[in-house]
C-alpha cells in the first residue's frame, strides 16, 4: 500500500497527463473503463481514473490503451468532444531559448524556415523594456481565415482548434492575407518530407505537408488524444508555455498545473490584439517580475537569427545614444 | 438584295477593316506571339517548380498577379459600364467606340481571371471551388460573378454583331473566302432586317446592357472586398467598394482611348474616329479623374489624420522615397492631375496628347493596384521578425514579369486576331447617321415628345 502511494506521488506528472486524456476518455473511453472496472481485481498494477460520474476508480493499467489514432476526414472536422483547448503563455518566463520552435519543427516534419510558432522581440513603447513574445496560432473563436476560405479547407472545431485539411486546400492564400496575426505560412516548394508515404495524413497531425498548400500551428490535438502535451509546451525549458482545457479549468506546462481562470484573473492575463474581435484562445501573462534581462535571449543565437531582431535592437542602441 | 450593296461608303469601310493582313501586321503578330510564348515558358516553370520561383513569400503572399487580376478585371467591368451607358443613353458619338469597348469587356475578362489562377498553389484542384464551394468566401462570389459577367459580355458583343454579320453575308462586293462567307452566314442567324427582328434585337441589346451595368458595379465591389473585408491596414476601408468602381471606370476610359488611337492609326480610320471622339472621351476621363482623385484623397487623408499605429506604418512606407514614394507620387499625383490639365487646357487638348495621357493613366492605375496590394501585406500587425530576411520584402521575379507582359501581349494579340474576323467598328451603326440624315434608326429609349 505504501509502495503504491509513493509511486503515485512520484508520477504526479504522469497523473496530470492522464488527467488531460480523461476528457477524451469520458465519452469514447467510459464504456471501456466501466467494463474494465469489473476485472480490476485480477491485475496487479492499477491506475486511478475518473469515471463519467466523477468518481475515482481503479483500473488495471494493462487494459487501458492510451493511444488514439488521430481523426481523419469528416471526423477530424468535429473535434474532441467536451474539450476547449487553451494556451497560456507566461511572458515573464520566456527567454528565447527557441526550443519550442525546434521541437515543433521536428514534430511536424518542418524545414528550419517553416516556423509554426515564432518568438518575437516586442517593445510596446519607448518607456517599456523589450520582452520575448512567443506566437503560435491563436485558434480564434471568430477566425478571419476560416471566414474567407473558398473551399472550407480550414475549419473551426468544437475543441477550439482551427485546423487545415491540406487535401482540400487549393492554395489561394486568401487565409494568409486575412489572418491579422500573420500566423499562416505557405508551402512554397516541394520538399522531401512531403513524400512520406508511411504516415497517414490527418489534419490533426498535419503530417505530411503538401506543396502549394497552407500550413500552421495546429494545437497538436493528436497529442492531446494520447494524453500528451503539444511539442512546444513539453520542450520549453523555462515552462513558459501552458496548455490546458477551459472546461476543466486547468492548464499545465508539464511541471505545474494551475487553475486557468484564477491564473488569468490574478495575473492580468490578456489576449493579444483582442480588439480585432477575433476572440483568440491564446492568453498572455504580462512580462512582470521577469526572470532575466531580455539580452540573454540573444546570447545563443546565430548571426542570421540575431539579424532578424535588428529593428528593435538598433532602435534600443539609438535610444541609448541619444539618452547619453 | 439589300440596299447597302450599292452604298460605296459601306464597301469602302469593309474593305478598310477586313483587308488582308499586311507585312507590318504579320511582324507585329509574330512579335506579340514571341512574348506570349516567353510568358508561357515562365508559366510552365512556375507550375513544375512551384511558387518558390515567384517573389511571393509568407508575408507578401500576393503580388503582381493579384495586381494584374484587379487591373484587367477593372478594365473589363469598366468597358461593360461604359458601353452600356453609351447604348442606353443613345449617345450620338458612340458608334466607332462601342465595338472596341465590347471587345475590351470580353478580352480582359478572359485574361484577368488567368492571373488569379496563377496565384493558386494547386491549379490541379480548381474543381474544389465548385465541389466544396463555401458561399461565405468572397472568392466564391468572384467565381460566380465573373462567369455570369463573361456570359453577359459575350451575349452583348454578339447581339451587337448580328447586323454586321448579316451585312457581310449579303454584300457581294466583299472579297472573302468561302469558309469565311459561310461563317458570316451562320453567325448572322438568318437576320433579315425586318422591323420585327430589328425591334427584338435592339430590345435585347438594351436589356442586356442595362443588366450588365449593375452586374459590373457589383463585380468591382466584390473585387474590392477581397481586400476590404480583411483586418489589414490600408485595406479594411468602407470606401473601397466605390473607390474600386471609379478606379475601374477611370482606367477603362483610358484603355478605350488608347485602343481607339491604335486602331485609328492601323486602319486609317481618321474619317470615322475623329477628334470629337477623343475630346468627348477625354472629358469623361477628366470627370473620372476628379472623382477618383476625390476618393484617393479621402482614403489617404483619413488614415493619415487619425494616424493609427499600423496605418502610420503603412503610410511611412508609401511616403518613403526609397520604398514606394515615387510610385505613390506617380500614381496619385501624376496619374490624376495630368489628365485634368491636358483636357482642361484648350491648346493641349489634342488627339495625340489625350492618347499619351491615357497611356500614363493606365500605367499609373496599374501601379496603384500594386501599391494597394503589396505595401499592406508588408505591413503586418506584428513586427516582421523571425522570418528570413529575404522573405520580408517583395520584389517580383522574372517569372512574374514575364507572365505579366505575356498577358498584355495576349490581349493585343487577341484584339488583332478578332479584328481580322469581325469589323472593329459597327458597319451598320457607323453609317446609319449618314444614311438617313440626322434621324437615328435605333429607337430612343425614352420618347419625351409623347
Amino acid at each position: 500500500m505504501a509502495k503504491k502511494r509513493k509511486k503515485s506521488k512520484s508520477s504526479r506528472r504522469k497523473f496530470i497527463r492522464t488527467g488531460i486524456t480523461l476528457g477524451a476518455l469520458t465519452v469514447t473511453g467510459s464504456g471501456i473503463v466501466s467494463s474494465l472496472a469489473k476485472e480490476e481485481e485480477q491485475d496487479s498494477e492499477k491506475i486511478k481514473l475518473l469515471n463519467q460520474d466523477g468518481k475515482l476508480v481503479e483500473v488495471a493499467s494493462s487494459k487501458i490503451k492510451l493511444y488514439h489514432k488521430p481523426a481523419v476526414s469528416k471526423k477530424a472536422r468535429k473535434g474532441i468532444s467536451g474539450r476547449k483547448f487553451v494556451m497560456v503563455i507566461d511572458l515573464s518566463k520566456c527567454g528565447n531559448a527557441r526550443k519550442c520552435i525546434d521541437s515543433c519543427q521536428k514534430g511536424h516534419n518542418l524545414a528550419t524556415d517553416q516556423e509554426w510558432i515564432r518568438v518575437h522581440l516586442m517593445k510596446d513603447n519607448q518607456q517599456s523594456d523589450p520582452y520575448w513574445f512567443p506566437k503560435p496560432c491563436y485558434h480564434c473563436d471568430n477566425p478571419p481565415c476560416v471566414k474567407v476560405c473558398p473551399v472550407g479547407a480550414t475549419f473551426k472545431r468544437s475543441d477550439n482548434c482551427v485546423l487545415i485539411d491540406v487535401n482540400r486546400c487549393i492554395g489561394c492564400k486568401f487565409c494568409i492575407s486575412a489572418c491579422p496575426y500573420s500566423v499562416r505560412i505557405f508551402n512554397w516548394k516541394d520538399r522531401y518530407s512531403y513524400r512520406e508515404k508511411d504516415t497517414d495524413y490527418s489534419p490533426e497531425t498535419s503530417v505530411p505537408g503538401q506543396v502549394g498548400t497552407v500550413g500552421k500551428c495546429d494545437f497538436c490535438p493528436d497529442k492531446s488524444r494520447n494524453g500528451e502535451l503539444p511539442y512546444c509546451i513539453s520542450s520549453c525549458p523555462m515552462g513558459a508555455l501552458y496548455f490546458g482545457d477551459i472546461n476543466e479549468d486547468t492548464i499545465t506546462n508539464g511541471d505545474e498545473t494551475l487553475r486557468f481562470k484564477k491564473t488569468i484573473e490574478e495575473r492580468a492575463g490578456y489576449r493579444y490584439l483582442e480588439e480585432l474581435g477575433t476572440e483568440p484562445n491564446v492568453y498572455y501573462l504580462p512580462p512582470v517580475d521577469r526572470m532575466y534581462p531580455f539580452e540573454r535571449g540573444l546570447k545563443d543565437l546565430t548571426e542570421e537569427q540575431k539579424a532578424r531582431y535588428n529593428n528593435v535592437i538598433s532602435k534600443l542602441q539609438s535610444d541609448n545614444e541619444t539618452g547619453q | 438584295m439589300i440596299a447597302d450593296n450599292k452604298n460605296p461608303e459601306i464597301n469602302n469601310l469593309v474593305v478598310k477593316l477586313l483587308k488582308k493582313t499586311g507585312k507590318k501586321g504579320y511582324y507585329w503578330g509574330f512579335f506579340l506571339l514571341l512574348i506570349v510564348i516567353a510568358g508561357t515558358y515562365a508559366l510552365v516553370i512556375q507550375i513544375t517548380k512551384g511558387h518558390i520561383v515567384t517573389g511571393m513569400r509568407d508575408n507578401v503572399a500576393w503580388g503582381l498577379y493579384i495586381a494584374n487580376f484587379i487591373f484587367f478585371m477593372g478594365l473589363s467591368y469598366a468597358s461593360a459600364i461604359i458601353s452600356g451607358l453609351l447604348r442606353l443613353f443613345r449617345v450620338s458619338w458612340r458608334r466607332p467606340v462601342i465595338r472596341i469597348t465590347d471587345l475590351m469587356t470580353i478580352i480582359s475578362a478572359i485574361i484577368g481571371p488567368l492571373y488569379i489562377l496563377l496565384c493558386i498553389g494547386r491549379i490541379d484542384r480548381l474543381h474544389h471551388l465548385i465541389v466544396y464551394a463555401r458561399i461565405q468566401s468572397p472568392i466564391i462570389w468572384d467565381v460566380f460573378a465573373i462567369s455570369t459577367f463573361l456570359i453577359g459580355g459575350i451575349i452583348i458583343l454578339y447581339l451587337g454583331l448580328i447586323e454586321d454579320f448579316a451585312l457581310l453575308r449579303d454584300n457581294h462586293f466583299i472579297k472573302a473566302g468561302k469558309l469565311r462567307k459561310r461563317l458570316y452566314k451562320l453567325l448572322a442567324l438568318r437576320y433579315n432586317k425586318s422591323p420585327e427582328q430589328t425591334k427584338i434585337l435592339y430590345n435585347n441589346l438594351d436589356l442586356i446592357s442595362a443588366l450588365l451595368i449593375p452586374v459590373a458595379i457589383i463585380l468591382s465591389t466584390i473585387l474590392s472586398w477581397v481586400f476590404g473585408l480583411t483586418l489589414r491596414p490600408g485595406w479594411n476601408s468602407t470606401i473601397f467598394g466605390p473607390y474600386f468602381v471609379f478606379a475601374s471606370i477611370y482606367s477603362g476610359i483610358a484603355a478605350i482611348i488608347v485602343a481607339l488611337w491604335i486602331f485609328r492609326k492601323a486602319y486609317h480610320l481618321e474619317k470615322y474616329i475623329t477628334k470629337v471622339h477623343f475630346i468627348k472621351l477625354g472629358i469623361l476621363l477628366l470627370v473620372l479623374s476628379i472623382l477618383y482623385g476625390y476618393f484617393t484623397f479621402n482614403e489617404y487623408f483619413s488614415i493619415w489624420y487619425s494616424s493609427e499605429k499600423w496605418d502610420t506604418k503603412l503610410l511611412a512606407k508609401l511616403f518613403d522615397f526609397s520604398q514606394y514614394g515615387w510610385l505613390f507620387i506617380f500614381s496619385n499625383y501624376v496619374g490624376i492631375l495630368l489628365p485634368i490639365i491636358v483636357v482642361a487646357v484648350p491648346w493641349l487638348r489634342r488627339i495625340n496628347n489625350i492618347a499619351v495621357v491615357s497611356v500614363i493613366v493606365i500605367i499609373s492605375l496599374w501601379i496603384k493596384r500594386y501599391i494597394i496590394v503589396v505595401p499592406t501585406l508588408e505591413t503586418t500587425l506584428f513586427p516582421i521578425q523571425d522570418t528570413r530576411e529575404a522573405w520580408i520584402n517583395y520584389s517580383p521575379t522574372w517569372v512574374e514579369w514575364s507572365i505579366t507582359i505575356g498577358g498584355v501581349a495576349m490581349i493585343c494579340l487577341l484584339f488583332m486576331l478578332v479584328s481580322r474576323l469581325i469589323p472593329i467598328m459597327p458597319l451598320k451603326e457607323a453609317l446609319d447617321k449618314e444614311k438617313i440624315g440626322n434621324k437615328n434608326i435605333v429607337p430612343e429609349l425614352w420618347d419625351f415628345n409623347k
Side-chain angles (χ1 to χ4, degrees):
Chain A
M1 200 53 192
K3 205 178 175 186
K4 216 184 260 174
R5 219 175 258 168
K6 202 177 176 187
K7 204 175 176 185
S8 71
K9 252 186 191 173
S10 66
S11 61
R12 178 181 282 165
R13 190 189 291 188
K14 201 175 174 188
F15 179 77
I16 292 157
R17 281 189 187 165
T18 323
I20 286 192
T21 335
L22 280 180
L25 285 172
T26 42
V27 173
T28 56
S30 58
I32 307 167
V33 172
S34 56
S35 69
L36 285 174
K38 290 168 195 166
E39 295 173 47
E40 71 185 284
E41 288 154 35
Q42 292 161 12
D43 282 282
S44 51
E45 260 194 88
K46 305 263 161 74
I47 284 180
K48 282 183 180 172
L49 288 176
L50 266 176
N51 73 2
Q52 227 170 350
D53 309 321
K55 285 175 188 163
L56 268 180
V57 288
E58 282 197 332
V59 180
S61 64
S62 59
K63 295 284 179 185
I64 299 173
K65 276 184 189 167
L66 277 180
Y67 180 71
H68 290 257
K69 271 195 167 176
V72 288
S73 62
K74 272 190 183 168
K75 221 178 147 194
R77 295 183 158 258
K78 286 205 175 126
I80 306 168
S81 64
R83 325 259 23 213
K84 288 271 177 216
F85 294 123
V86 69
M87 196 186 273
V88 177
I89 298 174
D90 188 348
L91 295 174
S92 62
K93 284 185 187 166
C94 178
N96 194 26
R98 306 180 77 77
K99 294 284 183 275
C100 52
I101 303 173
D102 293 342
S103 70
C104 174
Q105 286 174 338
K106 229 171 256 166
H108 294 107
N109 248 334
L110 302 173
T112 48
D113 57 1
Q114 296 173 296
E115 287 155 345
W116 284 3
I117 180 165
R118 289 176 181 157
V119 183
H120 290 276
L121 179 56
M122 302 291 252
K123 184 169 161 49
D124 292 338
N125 54 55
Q126 264 209 318
Q127 312 308 325
S128 68
D129 208 29
Y131 58 94
W132 297 102
F133 186 93
K135 184 192 75 181
C137 172
Y138 288 169
H139 296 271
C140 309
D141 283 345
N142 182 18
C145 53
V146 171
K147 268 190 217 166
V148 299
C149 181
V151 295
T154 185
F155 48 87
K156 175 80 185 171
R157 307 205 308 178
S158 63
D159 58 0
N160 274 353
C161 297
V162 174
L163 299 186
I164 302 168
D165 182 356
V166 294
N167 285 329
R168 194 185 276 197
C169 176
I170 60 165
C172 68
K173 307 171 195 157
F174 201 176
C175 55
I176 299 181
S177 301
C179 175
Y181 305 112
S182 314
V183 160
R184 295 175 160 249
I185 64 168
F186 193 73
N187 297 333
W188 296 98
K189 61 179 173 188
D190 209 0
R191 291 175 198 270
Y192 187 71
S193 61
Y194 296 162
R195 285 178 216 135
E196 265 177 45
K197 290 228 168 91
D198 48 325
T199 44
D200 289 330
Y201 172 75
S202 156
E204 295 194 345
T205 55
S206 310
V207 175
Q210 282 183 29
V211 65
T213 60
V214 177
K216 70 162 188 72
C217 157
D218 55 11
F219 256 18
C220 299
D222 58 313
K223 301 271 280 181
S224 288
R225 270 186 201 277
N226 292 317
E228 292 168 41
L229 289 166
Y231 294 106
C232 51
I233 309 282
S234 50
S235 66
C236 180
M238 306 316 302
L241 309 174
Y242 294 80
F243 190 74
D245 187 328
I246 296 179
N247 286 348
E248 284 182 345
D249 195 23
T250 323
I251 49 167
T252 177
N253 62 358
D255 286 328
E256 57 169 343
T257 304
L258 304 172
R259 284 281 158 210
F260 168 70
K261 272 188 196 123
K262 207 177 150 202
T263 311
I264 299 300
E265 268 172 26
E266 288 182 353
R267 299 189 54 192
Y270 69 98
R271 300 186 289 188
Y272 190 70
L273 291 182
E274 181 166 29
E275 58 272 30
L276 295 176
T278 48
E279 302 283 338
N281 277 304
V282 173
Y283 291 75
Y284 288 95
L285 303 178
V288 289
D289 297 333
R290 270 176 252 179
M291 297 178 86
Y292 27 68
F294 91 93
E295 286 90 347
R296 199 183 292 178
L298 296 167
K299 242 167 116 186
D300 300 327
L301 299 185
T302 61
E303 279 306 308
E304 189 265 337
Q305 285 170 332
K306 236 182 234 175
R308 299 181 203 168
Y309 300 112
N310 250 344
N311 58 343
V312 173
I313 295 165
S314 59
K315 214 175 172 189
L316 277 177
Q317 281 164 352
S318 66
D319 284 354
N320 280 346
E321 278 160 24
T322 50
Q324 284 161 6
Chain B
M1 188 63 61
I2 281 158
D4 285 345
N5 277 351
K6 285 157 197 154
N7 189 339
E9 192 59 46
I10 281 256
N11 294 332
N12 200 358
L13 186 60
V14 170
V15 168
K16 245 185 190 174
L17 288 176
L18 295 175
K19 67 180 175 200
K20 276 210 163 159
T21 317
K23 239 185 191 174
K24 231 179 176 178
Y26 277 112
Y27 287 148
W28 270 106
F30 187 66
F31 173 66
L32 291 172
L33 195 66
L34 277 184
I35 300 175
V36 172
I37 288 170
T40 318
Y41 173 67
L43 179 63
V44 170
I45 286 186
Q46 185 185 310
I47 290 172
T48 51
K49 289 194 178 165
H51 278 214
I52 193 76
V53 298
T54 67
M56 297 183 277
R57 290 296 178 265
D58 290 338
N59 286 305
V60 186
W62 287 344
L64 272 196
Y65 296 151
I66 288 283
N68 291 337
F69 171 65
I70 315 169
F71 179 76
F72 290 124
M73 291 322 290
L75 284 189
S76 177
Y77 303 151
S79 307
I81 294 171
I82 295 161
S83 106
L85 291 178
L86 291 180
R87 269 209 180 88
L88 288 177
F89 290 104
R90 308 279 185 264
V91 176
S92 59
W93 49 270
R94 73 178 181 277
R95 297 186 164 119
V97 183
I98 209 139
R99 178 73 38 80
I100 291 174
T101 315
D102 285 345
L103 277 175
M104 185 99 69
T105 308
I106 304 292
I107 291 173
S108 9
I110 291 169
I111 300 297
L114 293 182
Y115 283 105
I116 204 161
L117 298 187
L118 294 176
C119 235
I120 287 177
R122 298 295 295 246
I123 302 186
D124 54 315
R125 290 181 184 168
L126 220 52
H127 60 282
H128 285 196
L129 283 172
I130 310 293
V131 182
Y132 298 117
R134 258 182 94 254
I135 206 71
Q136 298 95 318
S137 169
I139 288 194
I140 294 295
W141 308 342
D142 256 336
V143 169
F144 288 113
I146 291 174
S147 30
T148 311
F149 177 76
L150 199 56
I151 294 167
I154 289 170
I155 293 174
I156 262 246
L157 177 71
Y158 183 57
L159 288 180
L161 271 165
I162 285 180
E163 276 186 309
D164 284 1
F165 284 139
L167 202 143
L168 289 166
R169 172 196 63 192
D170 301 334
N171 195 313
H172 297 292
F173 290 94
I174 300 162
K175 283 174 198 157
K178 254 191 182 168
L179 196 72
R180 195 181 259 238
K181 277 266 174 191
R182 211 178 278 171
L183 188 69
Y184 288 142
K185 193 177 169 188
L186 188 76
L187 289 171
L189 293 180
R190 291 201 214 157
Y191 175 71
N192 60 8
K193 293 192 174 175
S194 66
E196 301 91 65
Q197 280 192 353
T198 314
K199 201 184 165 199
I200 292 170
L201 184 66
Y202 277 95
N203 279 347
N204 280 306
L205 260 174
D206 283 344
L207 186 70
I208 307 281
S209 296
L211 281 175
L212 221 50
I213 293 171
V215 169
I217 291 172
I218 290 166
L219 268 168
S220 356
T221 313
I222 293 176
L223 208 58
S224 81
W225 283 346
V226 169
F227 309 98
L229 299 185
T230 60
L231 291 165
R232 303 297 290 262
W235 284 1
N236 189 8
S237 156
T238 49
I239 67 161
F240 248 42
Y243 191 26
F244 268 53
V245 173
F246 286 114
S248 296
I249 301 177
Y250 188 38
S251 67
I253 292 169
I256 290 165
I257 292 176
V258 173
L260 269 185
W261 189 87
I262 293 171
F263 279 112
R264 183 175 185 261
K265 278 266 138 92
Y267 289 93
H268 305 288
L269 297 173
E270 286 83 356
K271 193 180 162 193
Y272 303 96
I273 305 173
T274 59
K275 197 177 174 182
V276 174
H277 293 100
F278 284 90
I279 289 176
K280 299 255 173 173
L281 283 169
I283 289 166
L284 266 183
L285 196 69
L286 174 117
V287 172
L288 261 301
S289 74
I290 292 167
L291 271 172
Y292 167 72
Y294 168 71
F295 272 94
T296 305
F297 179 75
N298 262 293
E299 168 69 8
Y300 288 115
F301 184 70
S302 58
I303 64 171
W304 172 79
Y305 193 92
S306 63
S307 63
E308 206 198 340
K309 181 177 160 191
W310 299 293
D311 288 337
T312 312
K313 253 166 90 180
L314 175 70
L315 287 180
K317 270 177 190 294
L318 292 175
F319 295 157
D320 182 358
F321 283 107
S322 65
Q323 297 190 57
Y324 297 99
W326 293 113
L327 295 181
F328 186 85
I329 297 258
F330 184 77
S331 63
N332 291 327
Y333 289 86
V334 180
I336 291 170
L337 296 177
L338 203 63
I340 297 178
I341 296 165
V342 168
V343 180
V345 179
W347 56 270
L348 283 174
R349 210 184 290 146
R350 295 199 194 116
I351 292 176
N352 286 348
N353 287 356
I354 292 174
V356 168
V357 156
S358 298
V359 172
I360 291 170
V361 167
I362 291 174
I363 296 170
S364 86
L365 275 156
W366 185 87
I367 290 173
K368 176 75 185 193
R369 268 53 175 257
Y370 184 83
I371 63 171
I372 283 176
V373 175
V374 178
T376 287
L377 286 173
E378 285 178 356
T379 315
T380 54
L381 304 195
F382 273 91
I384 297 186
Q385 288 170 341
D386 224 17
T387 34
R388 298 315 92 113
E389 189 85 31
W391 291 47
I392 293 171
N393 289 315
Y394 172 75
S395 59
T397 59
W398 73 269
V399 173
E400 287 165 284
W401 281 120
S402 152
I403 292 175
T404 301
I405 297 165
V408 178
M410 190 73 190
I411 286 184
C412 300
L413 199 63
L414 280 176
F415 254 113
M416 256 183 101
L417 291 176
V418 170
S419 72
R420 302 321 305 146
L421 188 67
I422 61 172
I424 202 71
M425 246 172 68
L427 301 171
K428 180 69 179 46
E429 287 189 61
L431 294 161
D432 276 345
K433 210 175 166 187
E434 285 160 61
K435 245 174 68 189
I436 27 176
N438 280 328
K439 207 183 165 204
N440 291 338
I441 213 166
V442 187
E444 285 294 335
L445 201 57
W446 296 285
D447 194 349
F448 294 108
N449 300 325
K450 252 182 196 169

